[in-house]
Amino acid sequence: MKFAPVVLSSLLFAAAQAAAQAPAECPSLPASSGLKWQQHVQSDFLLCRASTEDGREVLSLMLSARDPAIPLSRSLRQEKGSFAGESLYWYQPDLGGQQPPGYAERRISVIKLDKGRYAQIALYPGSTQELGSLQQLAQGMSLTPSAVAAGR
């Protein structure tokens, strides 16, 4: 009977490896954006960071099964927008009263996509014009598996 635990542990190990190799992908970025994703996959979330050609991070997206529970104060509410077909409000991040360079253009939002799925999006633009472009980019993103596979 010592054989059964060995087989069971081997099967569990193989299943864990298969799950780790399951394709979790960031949404596609338009080639014209000049941005590239850096993707970090963990067991309970996917973190996507979009950077410019010179390496400056301008957008981060975390997809998770857990609510990030970030307090978004109505006093920091800015523009109305959308992401993955869901309406949202963009907020200035609460940095405890600190306002580092570029703070006025920074934005964050959290969206409940469906039962047990959340998206946290943060924008780090270098200008007001870039903020508008990043908000348009976020609005056009799709998280459907077929859209990710098709490069949309």
Side-chain angles (χ1 to χ4, degrees):
M1 287 293 181
K2 291 183 181 183
F3 182 73
V6 172
V7 171
L8 181 59
S9 66
S10 295
L11 289 174
L12 289 174
F13 180 74
Q17 277 191 320
Q21 294 172 0
E25 293 187 28
C26 298
S28 295
L29 293 166
S32 62
S33 71
L35 301 176
K36 288 189 172 187
W37 285 124
Q38 290 181 348
Q39 178 174 297
H40 305 280
V41 180
Q42 296 292 321
S43 61
D44 58 346
F45 69 88
L46 168 66
L47 178 61
C48 305
R49 292 183 170 153
S51 299
T52 60
E53 290 179 10
D54 64 358
R56 183 174 56 92
E57 183 179 339
V58 294
L59 182 149
S60 69
L61 167 65
M62 185 174 73
L63 301 171
S64 173
R66 292 183 313 169
D67 183 349
I70 295 174
L72 299 173
S73 171
R74 188 176 191 115
S75 65
L76 296 173
R77 184 182 284 180
Q78 300 296 314
E79 306 84 12
K80 189 172 175 94
S82 67
F83 173 77
E86 299 291 329
S87 294
L88 61 78
Y89 282 101
W90 291 105
Y91 295 82
Q92 278 189 305
D94 184 353
L95 301 178
Q98 296 180 13
Q99 295 190 6
Y103 172 76
E105 289 81 24
R106 289 187 188 180
R107 298 292 185 270
I108 190 167
S109 194
V110 175
I111 305 104
K112 183 173 184 178
L113 299 169
D114 53 36
K115 186 177 181 179
R117 281 189 34 189
Y118 295 86
Q120 174 186 321
I121 310 161
L123 307 178
Y124 313 103
S127 67
T128 304
Q129 181 180 357
E130 189 176 38
L131 171 62
S133 297
L134 291 171
Q135 287 174 326
Q136 284 291 122
L137 180 72
Q139 184 170 327
M141 285 185 186
S142 176
L143 296 178
T144 62
S146 60
V148 170
R152 290 191 295 265

